[in-house]
Amino acid sequence: MKNARMFSIAGFVTLSLIVWELALPRASAARDLHLLLAHNLAPDHPVHLGMEFFAKRVDEESKGRIHVTVYPSGQLGTEKEVLELVQTGAVSMTKVSSLSLEGFTPLYGVMNLPFLFRDREHFFGVLDGAVGTEILDASRPQALQGLTFYDAGERSFYAKKPIEKPDDVRGLKIRVMENATAIRMMQLLGGNPTPMGFGEVYTALEQGVIDGAENNITALTISRHGEVAKYYSIVQHIFAPDVLLISRDIFDRLSPEDRVLVKKAADDSKVYQREVWQEKFKQYEAEARDKLKVQILRPDKQPFIDKVLPLHEEVAGRGADYRRLIEAVKAQ
Ligand code: GCU
């Protein structure tokens, strides 16, 4: 494990030097541009398939002038680590959860509010509308440019014991992402929030360091957490989207035509990725239930909503933009 990590760091340093050299646009239109896109999901994940679509579309539309290479599986680090590399331009692009992004662009706290979206239609309407565009652009002061949102399903709880009501969470060590809103939500539910990177969750469950976690269904199937946590409680508390981002400075150095090309390819990949997710989603639930023998529970959501609702006012109280955006989402 340690050797693999050392290898990946050595590989990364070499790679980033090459990419840095190639990615620095020299204002010469003829020169090829190589963009490295690193993320932490597996290569058979629907969100990865969306990024592969993006890479292919960019290649086709630029007639081979702009190449995107996708590095999956956290090879270049955790979401937080890779975001820092994208800020400097050492890695050109990434895809992270909006929950990770909140640590960089606090306005994502709006997107990450539990029980904010009524359903998927409401969620997609917000992402594709004015609020979505404003939030994608809100990362510019942090040297990041949001390009599009991918569907990461809805997050629900999974644990070694059934969670059917908020009281069942009381005292449990539940892994959350390294995110203030998620930590606060878990405190309101009476659980013991345990922030850690995604790559550590399987072992932490296996070794009993945590009792459960919360995520979309692919965590149980593609990431095999269903081998070590046998109860999935579909509460759908957070609809945190995944976000495709590029280094702001690399994006700004593109010609205006190439900026449109990259943004359009990102939006096309979003449409494709949503279809893939929709198509595969039922299959993941069946796989968790039938192959991994995970018991799927559908608790009444209202008691969970009642517990965490104070968060809406807490986040609105962070500033005028938060309140305005939360109200806009609710009114949509
Ligand atoms: C989702 C999301 C990832 C994130 C993970 C997590 O799977 O797509 O980007 O890292 O949740 O819980 O950490």
Side-chain angles (χ1 to χ4, degrees):
M1 189 64 194
K2 202 174 169 201
N3 281 347
R5 180 78 178 162
M6 275 169 64
F7 171 77
S8 92
I9 290 172
F12 160 66
V13 171
T14 320
L15 205 65
S16 58
L17 288 176
I18 297 167
V19 170
W20 178 247
E21 170 62 18
L22 293 170
L24 275 180
R26 303 276 152 91
S28 140
R31 196 183 168 90
D32 283 4
L33 178 67
H34 291 249
L35 299 172
L36 188 157
L37 165 49
H39 70 90
N40 73 346
L41 297 172
D44 52 347
H45 196 287
V47 175
H48 174 82
L49 301 180
M51 286 179 270
E52 287 293 354
F53 182 102
F54 166 75
K56 191 159 171 279
R57 187 50 70 90
V58 166
D59 193 276
E60 282 164 6
E61 293 296 318
S62 69
K63 309 216 170 9
R65 263 187 316 109
I66 310 179
H67 309 275
V68 181
T69 310
V70 188
Y71 280 83
S73 308
Q75 293 172 63
L76 301 192
T78 63
E79 294 200 329
K80 183 172 177 285
E81 287 163 350
V82 176
L83 274 168
E84 284 164 359
L85 293 167
V86 176
Q87 286 183 302
T88 66
V91 168
S92 359
M93 298 185 67
T94 190
K95 185 294 305 166
V96 296
S97 167
S98 64
L99 285 150
S100 295
L101 207 43
E102 187 180 333
F104 292 72
T105 305
L107 206 55
Y108 273 89
V110 170
M111 285 286 171
N112 298 333
L113 268 184
F115 302 112
L116 177 67
F117 299 103
R118 291 184 297 275
D119 50 33
R120 289 169 69 74
E121 207 188 338
H122 180 209
F123 176 59
F124 291 142
V126 170
L127 297 184
D128 297 344
V131 172
T133 306
E134 181 174 342
I135 291 192
L136 285 176
D137 287 340
S139 297
R140 288 187 60 81
Q142 291 84 44
L144 300 164
Q145 174 68 58
L147 288 176
T148 202
F149 294 109
Y150 290 131
D151 184 7
E154 304 88 30
R155 297 178 80 93
S156 289
F157 299 107
Y158 54 100
K160 289 170 177 271
K161 53 166 268 193
I163 294 175
E164 290 178 289
K165 49 188 188 313
D167 259 3
D168 296 333
V169 179
R170 189 159 294 282
L172 291 190
K173 288 192 266 10
I174 306 280
R175 179 267 175 172
V176 289
M177 291 184 64
E178 291 151 306
N179 165 289
T181 311
I183 292 172
R184 182 74 186 119
M185 179 195 75
M186 201 50 71
Q187 285 167 342
L188 288 168
L189 285 172
N192 191 349
T194 313
M196 65 177 71
F198 188 51
E200 296 167 62
V201 179
Y202 185 102
T203 311
L205 280 166
E206 194 180 32
Q207 297 182 346
V209 173
I210 51 173
D211 304 301
E214 49 84 57
N215 213 323
N216 64 62
I217 188 88
T218 64
L220 284 102
T221 54
I222 297 177
S223 302
R224 320 299 307 164
H225 297 177
E227 290 173 356
V228 282
K230 295 295 181 190
Y231 298 92
Y232 190 55
S233 301
I234 304 194
V235 175
Q236 299 175 316
H237 50 281
I238 293 180
F239 282 60
D242 275 354
V243 191
L244 183 68
L245 298 132
I246 186 166
S247 148
R248 178 200 62 202
D249 295 347
I250 292 178
F251 188 72
D252 287 356
R253 285 196 295 255
L254 295 177
S255 68
E257 297 76 21
D258 282 348
R259 262 179 255 150
V260 172
L261 186 156
V262 167
K263 171 70 178 142
K264 166 101 174 40
D267 282 334
D268 291 348
S269 72
K270 164 186 81 178
V271 174
Y272 167 81
Q273 188 271 336
R274 280 184 195 169
E275 284 165 11
V276 178
W277 186 282
Q278 200 52 41
E279 201 182 291
K280 298 204 171 210
F281 162 75
K282 285 276 162 211
Q283 167 194 323
Y284 296 134
E285 210 173 291
E287 190 186 329
R289 192 183 54 233
D290 303 336
K291 279 207 201 137
L292 295 164
K293 307 289 175 221
V294 172
Q295 207 172 315
I296 312 259
L297 308 163
R298 295 179 196 279
D300 178 7
K301 292 182 193 174
Q302 197 55 48
F304 292 89
I305 298 175
D306 294 345
K307 286 269 180 197
V308 305
L309 218 52
L311 241 180
H312 287 212
E313 189 45 41
E314 284 179 26
V315 173
R318 285 183 196 165
D321 283 342
Y322 293 81
R323 187 172 299 282
R324 174 177 57 77
L325 287 172
I326 292 170
E327 280 169 9
V329 171
K330 289 187 176 172
Q332 191 161 332

